[in-house]
Structure formats: C-alpha cells, structure tokens
Amino acid sequence: MSQRIKIKALLQSGETGIDVTVKGWVRAFRQNRFIALNDGSTNATLQIVVDFENTDPTLLKSITVGAAISVTGKLAASLGQGQTVEVIASTIEVLGDCDPDKYPLQLKNRPSLEYLREIAHLRFRTNTFGAIFRVRNTLSFAIHKFFNEKGFVYLHTPVITASDAEGAGEAFHVTNFDLANVPRTESGEVDYSKDFFGRSTNLTVSGQLEGELGAMALSDIYTFGPTFRAENSNTTRHLAEFWMIEPEMAFYELKDNADLAEELLKYVISYALEQNQEDLQFLNQRLLDEEKQKPQNERSELALLDKLQFCLANDFERLTYTEAIEILRESTPNKKKKFQFPVEGWGTDLQSEHERYLVEKHFKKPVILTDYPKEIKSFYMRQNDDGKTVAAMDILFPGIGEIVGGSQREERLDKLETRMDELGIPKDELWWYLDTRRFGSCPHAGFGLGFERLVLFVTGMGNIRDVIPFPRFPKNAEF
Amino acid sequence: MSQRIKIKALLQSGETGIDVTVKGWVRAFRQNRFIALNDGSTNATLQIVVDFENTDPTLLKSITVGAAISVTGKLAASLGQGQTVEVIASTIEVLGDCDPDKYPLQLKNRPSLEYLREIAHLRFRTNTFGAIFRVRNTLSFAIHKFFNEKGFVYLHTPVITASDAEGAGEAFHVTNFDLANVPRTESGEVDYSKDFFGRSTNLTVSGQLEGELGAMALSDIYTFGPTFRAENSNTTRHLAEFWMIEPEMAFYELKDNADLAEELLKYVISYALEQNQEDLQFLNQRLLDEEKQKPQNERSELALLDKLQFCLANDFERLTYTEAIEILRESTPNKKKKFQFPVEGWGTDLQSEHERYLVEKHFKKPVILTDYPKEIKSFYMRQNDDGKTVAAMDILFPGIGEIVGGSQREERLDKLETRMDELGIPKDELWWYLDTRRFGSCPHAGFGLGFERLVLFVTGMGNIRDVIPFPRFPKNAEF
C-alpha cells in the first residue's frame, strides 16, 4: 500500500513536522500558492502550500479545480483560520487534469440540487453529497451493528420472486424473454413455462414473508436489501428502487415490536451524531441557509441537529388509530375545513396531511400509531379480538411521514386462511408461508424501515432522489 | 420486551438458581421427561426437565418435535453429558403445535440436502442450515466491519440499470409492460419509450462502473448487493441471483488491490472462526462425516477448520498469468494429456481444471493470478506497457475456483476510448463513466468478491444453493 494518508486521519492525528503524502482532488487554488485539497474522507480540505517561485509554471497551470493530485511535503502547524495543520509541498504531481472550461462543477454559482441530479456521477464531489453519502454509510453500518449486538441473523431474502401476494400490479416483471418475440401457448397466452424461471417472476416489493420463515427457526432475523415499486409516483418521497430494513422476531408481540423499532431509530440517529459530527454540522448549516430563502412561517421550528437531539431525548408518542381519529376529528384544521380530506368517520386511511398534523402540530414528536382497521391493512396482520382492527403499527416522523410500517403477524392458521380467502389471496401460491403456521407456529412480529426516508430525516434533505446515489423513478434510469 | 432469555446467552451466562423464561422449538422429547429446546441462537439445545407426573397428559402429548413452546422454570446445574445447565420447568405452554405425522422434519433418517432444498422454508430449523446462516451472517457483518474500520463508504449502486456494457445478453430484462401486449413503434420495434423508465432496462450484473464514480470523489467505497446473471448454468457454483462485494479505491494500483483483497479474506475468515466456533466445529464434523462416504482419494486433504486456519497462516501465492501458463504447460497432467483442455499456447483462458491444478496440486494454497491477456478480460482493465496484457487479478481458492476478480482500472481516457472502440462498446451510453477520466482522473483499482463463494468456502458446503436462503436458478424461483 502506498504511504498515502487520508485527510481525515491526518487532521485527527495532530502531528506536525513529519513528511506525508496526500492524494485527492483540488477544490480551490488561490494566489498560485494555496491548494485546498479534498479526498472525500471528510468535507474538510487540507491546505497545501506551494512554493510557486520554484515550481514549473506549466505544473502550476494544471492545478485547477477538480484535478487529481499527489502531494508530498512536510506537515506544519497552520496559522490560517479554521485549520490546525497544512502541508508545505516538496513535490506535486498532477495525476489527472480537469479542464476548467468544461468541468461542470467549475461553475461560480452554487449548482442547484436539480442540476446535480443530472450529473449524479459527479455530485459526490460536492460538500453536500459528500456529507450525505458518508452519513448514509454510517446509518447502514449502525443498523448492522445494532442487530448484530442483539444476535439477529442478517438474511438475504430473494430479489426475484414468483409471489406477488401484496402486489396489486405494483411489481416490475423480470424476464429473459426477447420482448419483441414473447412465446405464446397454443391458446395465445404468454408461455411463462419458457421463461428463465419457468414461471412469471417479479422484483420483490418486500422480503417480509421470506423473513418470517427465517424467524420461525432462528428467532430474530433482519433483511437489508433493495425493494421495488412500479408506481408512477413523481414525488419527493417515492423511488422505484429503494432499500428497506425488515426485522422479523419470533415470540414478539406488538409492544415488543414498537419498542424495538424505537430503540433502533434512536440508536442509529445517536450513532450518526457521534460518528459524523462535521457532516451533520455542515448539513445543519446547509438547511439553515436554504430555509433563509423561505418565509418565516414555512421554516422548520427546529434546526436539523436540534431535531435529531429532540428525537433522542423524547419517548415516541404511542396511541391507537381510533384515538388518533378522535384527535383529528376534534382538531382545528378539521373543524375549519382546512384538510383537503376532512376527517369524518372511523375506518378511512390517514392522509399525509393528517399524519403531519399529528406529528408536527399536535404531539410535536415522533408518533407510533397502532391498531388500524383491518380493511386498510394487509392480510398477514394479526387480528385483534375486537374483530375490527389488526395489530399494526406505523411510525410517523416529522417532515417524513411514515418511516416504519409493521405489525404483529397472524400466527393462527385458521384466522390467516379465512382472511386470505376474504381478500382473494391464493393460498396455494403461499403454501410455504402457511406451513410455518402449521408446524410450530408462534406469536411473532416485524416491521419495515424505509432506509432512504431515514437518510432524508437525518440529513435534513428535502428530496429522496438526493439521498440515494443513482435514483430510479419514472422515465429515469440514467447511470 | 418479554423477559425471555435466548439459549445462547443463557448457556454463556453460567448462572444457576435463577428463574428464567425460554422460548423455542422442540428438537426432541425423551421419556416424557427431557425436552431438547432450540431457539436458533445456537445449535446447542437447552434441556428442559419436565415433572411429567404433575403435568397434564394432553399437554405432554402436544410436546412434539417442531412444536413452539414457552417454558418458565429454574436454571439448575446439569448432571447430563454435554450440558452445564438445564431448566427445571415450572410452567410449559405450547404456543404452536406440530403434527408429527405431517411435519417434514420429523423423518427418522437424516433428510438429504436435496430434499431440504425443496423445503427451504423449513431447512433453517436443521443444525446444518442454522449453522450455515449464522456463519453467513457473521461473514456479512465482518465485511462491513472491515471496510468501516478502513473508512470506506458503503455505496448502494443501482439494481435496475440501463447500461449493459458488459452484458453479452446475460442480463435479465426489467419491464413494466404487459408481456401479452408489448407496445410497438410504427416500424414494429419494441417501444421502450413507453416502458416505466422510458428505455430498456436490466438487472445489474455488477455495480463496479457506478462504484468507480463514487471512488473518484470519496476515495474508497464498496458495494454489497445483489447481482444477477440470466445464464442457463445448472452447476454447484452458479446462481441467477447472488450477492457481491465490490470495493473501488482511488489511488490504488494492482498490488494495493491484491493486498486489500487478501487482507479482507483473511479478516473475515478469522472473524468467523472467532465468532462462530461452535457452528464451524459442527460444519467441520458434518463434512468429515460426509466425506467418510467417499473413497479415500476423493476426500479433502485438510478438514474444514484446518483449511481455514491454513488459509490465514499463509501468504497467498502471487504470479502472473504468463508464469501460470508455463507451470501448466510443464505439468504432469498436461504432459499426460489428463486435462480436458490441453494447455498449449499463451492467450487462452484458464479452465476450472487448470485453476484447480494450480491451487490444489501445485501451490496447495490460495493463488492470486495477475496480468492476463487483454483479449480475455474486460474493456475497463488497465493496459500494461507490454501491449498484450492488462492489470487484472483473479484470486483462486481451493475447492471454489475464482472467488475474487478485479483489476486496476484504465484511467487514461485515450486508451480507454480506443479499447471501447475496438470492442464495439458504445461510448455514448457510458458518457458518465468516461467523464470520470475527463475530470480529475487518477489511478484506481477494485475487485468483486462473490459472497456465496466465500460462504461456500467457510462452511465447507458443496453446493452454492445451500448457502443462500432461497436460491434462484433456471426453472426455480420458489418461495
């Protein structure tokens, strides 16, 4: 390995007087003398002091914004503001130049987030996206660390599935057919027996059902993988391809499930605050600057860091759907007919405006809503004794809405089969799922955490397309 | 959370005299008195002592193999062999029964691996698969831990991609079309502009190209995600859906790349040996038992644990493709015409029999082969000065073959473009990849590690379908 030291480690070491080699990309070059060097390990740049009088003018000219360089020199205490050390360069090599007239990030004005989405291959080179993707990395690691410490088994559930139990046509097809020449049966149907898997297959919308199979033997498992929706949603909250964490726990009831989800969310937020202080401070300031453009009444009540700390310091509010409907029905915006969808009776699904009211206006903190009407929830959720509700839970976050959706699962074979029949879900396709209720069934529960929504919350970004490296959405699969 | 304690923690605690609650599945019930209880946290079972004289006979009858039970009782020192503690049950509740006449794992004979593949939803409940999936979990975590400690950023590269640069028709199509009614343009072509993404899209075969984009800003990144091949391979080494780890490092040359790969492999194997002693001892014994059925000369030279230790204790052998060809040409099996594909000239690809000879017979340890002929490697590999070879590397493991494939990447725009032209790879589709060579290019390298092949190696299993929860292969997408 070359003796290169990364800038984050160098700045942390506090050493001076030693020779070092650093490599990275030029962020700025002032007065032919001071290079601000970044290598992605931190947003902080390292100042390189160039002896311009004794440096080849051709070399000096090729030190432009975006160029990749290698520098060897002596680490010295710095007198400059905001930096403790700098490198007095003895040799500088330009590894790859960068034409200032063509480089898209050479723009004098700060490029917009919209423009950066079009050059997602280069946006990692900005402070905003460097910070976002380092925070995303930390959150991923924190999730694995959390479950590992609790003895959960990470299970890779399949991405290609034949079951579309939850589907409703939202799943992408996966096929090996030549689409110009799809094989047909004699009666003219698509002949899936000729497809790669010998049947119709989709991209998974959830690993839950397979995850349950693991939990019914290993006790506690989690998935962390990509999931897909072929929904034509062009919103700031939806992607066609996104990552989801889905733990499933044998012998858990609904309360245990909610406790685990709350503990997980607090753990990973706390871990990010600890590991990515600088990045989160940067994103905090970015959001403050962005909100300065907005009228006072549209600004967040709390700055990003305060919001994260607030989230750690307070118990999430827990209440039932039925209690929430009461609060909403009696709320000022409902009475003043400010809701687009007025809250009248029990049984309808909550709209985003209702969730926001509960979280952002009424309780002013994360909310766990439980025990929804069975008609608006999935077939596998455990039926409560009231005959009307199921042991579901959604966790709602300020600014994000639903970040977690889960439930205790229906472990009683007869009740599960009856519900599947009512909803017309083919039992023969899910024979393996039902088998777990035939052989040693037990109370169990689980939830799904939308990873990009978590990253949105922690980074304070406003558009989900900005927190995944290469977003997939209708009419867009670039890169 | 309920006060349940998991069996692994209980066995480790060494405490006695306290009241505990344990939950799990019955593995055996002897003499109406001794329950062997397993909860998936370890293969070890906990002995539950039942006071059968004072227990309801109906309850006793429902304690069958596979049933889920909850037990409360006192933890006592055990006189039985192979166990330090047992639970003297005060209450037993059957949470889910398990009809012995129908339960597939009730079989008196040990079920075959082939049969267990057909009931993959239940095979987690066997000792073999419990051990495999706990080891798989540990290896996953070790990979994240390794890269995290080195400051790599975990990057989720897209699963759905429009580029099929490496493709050669091995990629699955992803579409939202009704396959019975694929839209056509006026000239009769498939009208991809009407598809979800407005273009033809596939499942990724590698995250490398996108990974490089991250490395050219963040320095060191890695992916760990699913990848796909629509190859009609019915072997014990191939899956249609598998997980791959792909690190990409700016400022790395080929030797740095090989050093990192060797360090990673040793780190994760060592971590599994440390964390999963019991599971690996079990798998070690399983393999010894399995090999007893084979004739002496087909058995492994080393037992599983010895093989893993050997791998840690020795430097991987490094040599060039050219040196390897010389060794193979002069080898006894080549001279005696025992190879199915005789090794004659320089330039042909190595077959599995050649790789096995090098690793298992000649060097008897892992081998890193470098500097392959450019004709048999991908367009993006860095061209060596000899004009004939590229800075590629493959790591070959005993019993597995290629476990890692990587290279230094071609960072020089002109050389890369020339090679793409030679191979007919459309440059306009990969404009974003080429951009990284236009703006601050630098030497960089990376590799892909096939995760299931690693799990195969560490668990000593013989078929890749047994080391992923729900394998996907031609004509099979069950569960």
Side-chain angles (χ1 to χ4, degrees):
Chain A
M1 209 82 39
S2 67
Q3 314 229 322
R4 169 199 178 207
I5 180 169
K6 283 200 222 172
I7 292 173
K8 186 177 180 187
L10 186 150
L11 293 177
Q12 279 173 348
S13 81
E15 278 193 276
T16 55
I18 55 167
D19 283 320
V20 294
T21 296
V22 288
K23 300 181 182 188
W25 293 269
V26 175
R27 280 286 174 86
F29 188 30
R30 293 182 297 115
Q31 304 161 8
N32 260 354
R33 192 141 179 231
F34 301 110
I35 300 171
L37 188 72
N38 184 280
D39 67 5
S41 62
T42 162
N43 268 348
T45 56
L46 176 68
Q47 176 153 293
I48 311 291
V49 182
V50 183
D51 178 6
F52 69 96
E53 288 177 342
N54 295 305
T55 303
D56 176 0
T58 321
L59 177 64
L60 284 179
K61 233 186 141 182
S62 64
I63 302 173
T64 57
V65 172
I69 64 172
S70 173
V71 177
T72 301
K74 204 170 282 299
L75 201 53
S78 173
L79 303 175
Q81 220 190 346
Q83 60 202 20
T84 53
V85 289
E86 61 191 16
V87 172
I88 313 299
S90 53
T91 62
I92 299 177
E93 186 189 354
V94 174
L95 302 170
D97 51 24
C98 190
D99 184 341
D101 295 331
K102 294 184 182 158
Y103 190 45
L105 296 174
Q106 180 64 9
L107 303 168
K108 294 286 178 235
N109 296 322
R110 186 188 268 206
S112 70
L113 294 173
E114 289 72 21
Y115 175 65
L116 290 172
R117 239 167 265 149
E118 289 168 24
I119 52 165
H121 62 308
L122 299 177
R123 66 179 177 172
F124 301 107
R125 303 177 180 201
T126 64
N127 280 336
T128 298
F129 287 92
I132 290 169
F133 289 110
R134 281 189 300 271
V135 170
R136 185 180 165 111
N137 168 67
T138 297
L139 290 169
S140 293
F141 187 70
I143 286 161
H144 287 298
K145 193 165 183 292
F146 175 83
F147 286 118
N148 187 63
E149 286 167 4
K150 290 192 176 290
F152 280 57
V153 173
Y154 179 30
L155 212 64
H156 290 112
T157 51
V159 173
I160 300 173
T161 62
S163 68
D164 182 24
E166 291 196 74
E170 291 170 10
F172 287 102
H173 305 300
V174 174
T175 178
N176 201 23
F177 286 151
D178 173 0
L179 295 188
N181 194 11
V182 173
R184 306 280 179 152
T185 61
E186 284 185 12
S187 60
E189 314 269 284
V190 174
D191 188 358
Y192 286 110
S193 74
K194 295 213 171 73
D195 207 349
F196 188 90
F197 295 107
R199 60 203 292 183
S200 164
T201 49
N202 305 307
L203 288 181
T204 185
V205 297
S206 160
Q208 177 202 320
L209 301 192
E210 289 90 353
E212 285 185 50
L213 310 179
M216 301 296 267
L218 301 166
S219 276
D220 298 325
I221 67 93
Y222 71 109
T223 74
F224 188 167
T227 44
F228 305 85
R229 292 282 187 291
E231 258 175 52
N232 197 12
S233 303
N234 267 300
T235 78
T236 57
R237 293 285 176 273
H238 294 88
L239 290 167
E241 173 179 328
F242 56 100
W243 286 66
M244 194 142 69
I245 297 100
E246 298 185 281
E248 287 291 327
M249 296 74 66
F251 312 112
Y252 268 52
E253 301 184 356
L254 188 64
K255 181 180 177 303
D256 308 316
N257 203 25
D259 288 346
L260 185 79
E262 180 168 345
E263 188 186 350
L264 169 67
L265 288 164
K266 287 179 170 170
Y267 180 96
V268 301
I269 292 168
S270 160
Y271 193 78
L273 281 166
E274 212 178 281
Q275 300 288 320
N276 291 64
Q277 278 182 37
E278 286 172 7
D279 290 324
L280 290 172
Q281 266 155 16
F282 173 85
L283 291 166
N284 187 68
Q285 191 56 50
R286 193 205 70 84
L287 190 59
L288 288 175
D289 292 348
E290 188 182 82
E291 295 206 329
K292 272 186 200 144
Q293 323 288 328
K294 293 185 183 176
Q296 188 80 40
N297 65 344
E298 286 178 25
R299 296 182 198 166
S300 308
E301 289 184 29
L302 292 176
L304 176 62
L305 288 171
D306 296 332
K307 186 185 71 171
L308 297 178
Q309 290 293 359
F310 180 84
C311 193
L312 297 184
N314 289 278
D315 288 342
F316 296 1
E317 188 70 34
R318 300 186 187 194
L319 69 161
T320 64
Y321 164 90
T322 305
E323 291 163 338
I325 286 287
E326 269 320 296
I327 291 170
L328 288 166
R329 191 149 43 184
E330 299 301 317
S331 71
T332 313
N334 198 49
K335 289 183 170 168
K336 291 196 172 168
K337 304 201 186 299
K338 297 275 170 141
F339 284 142
Q340 202 191 330
F341 300 90
V343 178
E344 284 158 11
W346 187 94
T348 55
D349 210 351
L350 297 184
Q351 301 296 323
S352 159
E353 59 181 344
H354 309 138
E355 295 177 348
R356 293 191 66 148
Y357 174 80
L358 289 170
V359 171
E360 291 162 26
K361 302 290 171 193
H362 189 82
F363 292 112
K364 292 178 187 281
K365 59 175 165 165
V367 166
I368 309 184
L369 280 186
T370 62
D371 303 294
Y372 284 74
K374 67 178 177 186
E375 281 73 20
I376 59 173
K377 288 290 181 183
S378 300
F379 76 92
Y380 49 72
M381 296 192 176
R382 192 175 197 277
Q383 295 158 50
N384 287 330
D385 292 340
D386 62 14
K388 289 160 60 185
T389 60
V390 287
M393 67 170 199
D394 281 359
I395 302 187
L396 312 176
F397 259 38
I400 303 293
E402 183 190 326
I403 195 166
V404 161
S407 74
Q408 186 170 340
R409 315 308 187 188
E410 182 55 81
E411 87 280 12
R412 296 162 296 185
L413 182 64
D414 55 338
K415 294 207 180 269
L416 182 59
E417 288 192 321
T418 305
R419 191 72 188 133
M420 288 173 81
D421 287 341
E422 282 168 14
L423 296 172
I425 291 164
K427 290 189 303 231
D428 52 341
E429 272 185 29
L430 292 177
W431 63 275
W432 41 270
Y433 187 68
L434 292 169
D435 258 9
T436 52
R437 275 65 175 176
R438 287 187 187 107
F439 305 120
S441 188
C442 69
H444 63 291
F447 61 84
L449 164 63
F451 185 56
E452 280 74 20
R453 293 193 177 181
L454 174 66
V455 184
L456 264 187
F457 181 73
V458 176
T459 59
M461 298 300 292
N463 192 321
I464 202 160
R465 296 176 188 176
D466 292 333
V467 300
I468 191 167
F470 302 101
R472 297 295 182 244
F473 51 89
K475 304 298 170 201
N476 197 298
E478 191 63 271
F479 311 106
Chain B
M1 210 83 37
S2 67
Q3 311 228 325
R4 170 198 178 209
I5 179 167
K6 283 202 221 170
I7 292 173
K8 185 178 181 186
L10 185 149
L11 294 176
Q12 280 171 348
S13 80
E15 278 192 276
T16 55
I18 54 165
D19 282 320
V20 293
T21 296
V22 287
K23 298 179 182 190
W25 293 270
V26 175
R27 280 286 173 88
F29 187 31
R30 292 181 297 116
Q31 304 161 8
N32 258 355
R33 192 142 179 229
F34 301 110
I35 301 171
L37 189 72
N38 184 281
D39 67 4
S41 62
T42 162
N43 269 348
T45 55
L46 177 68
Q47 176 154 294
I48 310 291
V49 182
V50 183
D51 178 5
F52 69 96
E53 288 177 342
N54 296 304
T55 302
D56 176 0
T58 322
L59 177 65
L60 284 179
K61 229 184 142 183
S62 65
I63 301 174
T64 58
V65 172
I69 64 173
S70 173
V71 177
T72 301
K74 202 169 283 296
L75 201 53
S78 174
L79 303 175
Q81 218 190 349
Q83 60 202 20
T84 53
V85 289
E86 60 191 16
V87 172
I88 314 299
S90 53
T91 62
I92 299 178
E93 187 189 353
V94 174
L95 302 171
D97 50 24
C98 190
D99 184 341
D101 295 332
K102 295 185 181 156
Y103 189 43
L105 295 174
Q106 178 65 8
L107 302 169
K108 293 286 176 231
N109 295 321
R110 187 188 267 205
S112 70
L113 294 174
E114 289 72 22
Y115 175 63
L116 290 172
R117 239 167 266 151
E118 289 168 26
I119 51 165
H121 62 307
L122 299 177
R123 66 179 178 172
F124 300 108
R125 302 176 181 202
T126 65
N127 279 335
T128 298
F129 287 91
I132 290 169
F133 290 110
R134 280 188 301 271
V135 170
R136 184 179 166 112
N137 168 67
T138 297
L139 291 169
S140 293
F141 187 70
I143 286 161
H144 287 298
K145 193 165 180 295
F146 175 84
F147 286 118
N148 187 64
E149 285 167 3
K150 290 192 176 291
F152 280 56
V153 173
Y154 179 29
L155 212 65
H156 290 111
T157 50
V159 174
I160 300 173
T161 62
S163 68
D164 182 23
E166 291 195 74
E170 292 171 9
F172 287 102
H173 306 300
V174 174
T175 177
N176 201 23
F177 285 151
D178 173 359
L179 294 188
N181 194 10
V182 173
R184 305 279 178 152
T185 61
E186 285 186 13
S187 61
E189 313 269 283
V190 174
D191 188 359
Y192 287 110
S193 74
K194 295 210 171 73
D195 207 350
F196 188 90
F197 296 106
R199 60 202 292 182
S200 164
T201 49
N202 305 308
L203 289 181
T204 185
V205 296
S206 160
Q208 176 202 320
L209 301 192
E210 289 91 352
E212 285 185 50
L213 309 179
M216 301 296 267
L218 301 165
S219 276
D220 298 325
I221 67 93
Y222 70 109
T223 74
F224 188 167
T227 46
F228 305 85
R229 292 282 187 291
E231 257 174 53
N232 197 11
S233 303
N234 267 299
T235 79
T236 57
R237 294 283 176 274
H238 294 88
L239 291 167
E241 173 179 328
F242 55 101
W243 285 66
M244 195 142 68
I245 297 100
E246 298 185 282
E248 286 292 329
M249 297 75 66
F251 312 113
Y252 268 51
E253 300 184 356
L254 189 63
K255 181 180 178 303
D256 308 316
N257 204 23
D259 289 345
L260 185 80
E262 181 168 345
E263 188 186 349
L264 168 66
L265 287 164
K266 287 179 170 172
Y267 180 96
V268 301
I269 292 168
S270 160
Y271 192 78
L273 281 167
E274 212 176 281
Q275 300 287 319
N276 291 63
Q277 278 183 36
E278 286 173 6
D279 289 325
L280 290 172
Q281 266 156 14
F282 173 85
L283 292 167
N284 187 67
Q285 191 56 49
R286 193 204 70 82
L287 191 59
L288 288 175
D289 294 347
E290 189 183 82
E291 294 205 331
K292 272 186 202 146
Q293 324 288 329
K294 294 185 182 175
Q296 188 80 40
N297 65 344
E298 285 179 25
R299 297 182 197 166
S300 307
E301 290 185 30
L302 291 177
L304 176 62
L305 288 171
D306 296 333
K307 187 185 70 173
L308 298 177
Q309 290 291 0
F310 180 84
C311 191
L312 296 184
N314 289 278
D315 288 341
F316 296 1
E317 189 70 33
R318 300 186 189 195
L319 70 162
T320 65
Y321 164 91
T322 305
E323 291 164 336
I325 286 286
E326 269 320 297
I327 291 170
L328 289 166
R329 193 151 40 187
E330 298 301 318
S331 70
T332 312
N334 199 48
K335 289 186 169 168
K336 292 197 173 169
K337 305 202 185 300
K338 297 274 171 143
F339 283 143
Q340 200 190 333
F341 300 90
V343 177
E344 285 158 12
W346 187 95
T348 55
D349 209 351
L350 297 184
Q351 301 296 324
S352 160
E353 59 180 344
H354 308 139
E355 295 177 348
R356 293 191 67 148
Y357 174 79
L358 290 170
V359 171
E360 292 163 25
K361 303 290 170 194
H362 189 82
F363 291 113
K364 292 177 187 280
K365 59 175 166 167
V367 166
I368 309 184
L369 280 187
T370 61
D371 303 292
Y372 284 74
K374 67 179 177 185
E375 281 73 20
I376 59 172
K377 288 288 181 185
S378 301
F379 77 93
Y380 50 70
M381 296 192 176
R382 193 175 198 276
Q383 295 157 49
N384 287 331
D385 292 341
D386 62 13
K388 288 160 60 186
T389 59
V390 287
M393 67 169 199
D394 281 359
I395 303 188
L396 311 177
F397 259 38
I400 304 294
E402 183 190 326
I403 196 166
V404 161
S407 74
Q408 188 170 340
R409 314 309 186 187
E410 183 55 81
E411 87 280 14
R412 297 160 296 185
L413 182 64
D414 55 339
K415 295 208 179 267
L416 182 60
E417 288 191 321
T418 304
R419 191 72 189 131
M420 289 172 79
D421 288 342
E422 282 169 12
L423 296 172
I425 292 164
K427 290 188 302 230
D428 52 342
E429 273 185 27
L430 292 177
W431 63 275
W432 41 270
Y433 187 68
L434 293 169
D435 258 8
T436 52
R437 275 65 175 176
R438 288 188 185 106
F439 305 120
S441 189
C442 68
H444 63 291
F447 61 85
L449 164 63
F451 185 57
E452 280 74 21
R453 293 193 178 180
L454 173 66
V455 183
L456 264 188
F457 182 74
V458 176
T459 59
M461 298 301 292
N463 191 321
I464 202 160
R465 296 176 188 178
D466 292 333
V467 300
I468 189 167
F470 302 101
R472 297 298 183 238
F473 50 89
K475 304 297 171 202
N476 197 299
E478 192 61 271
F479 310 107

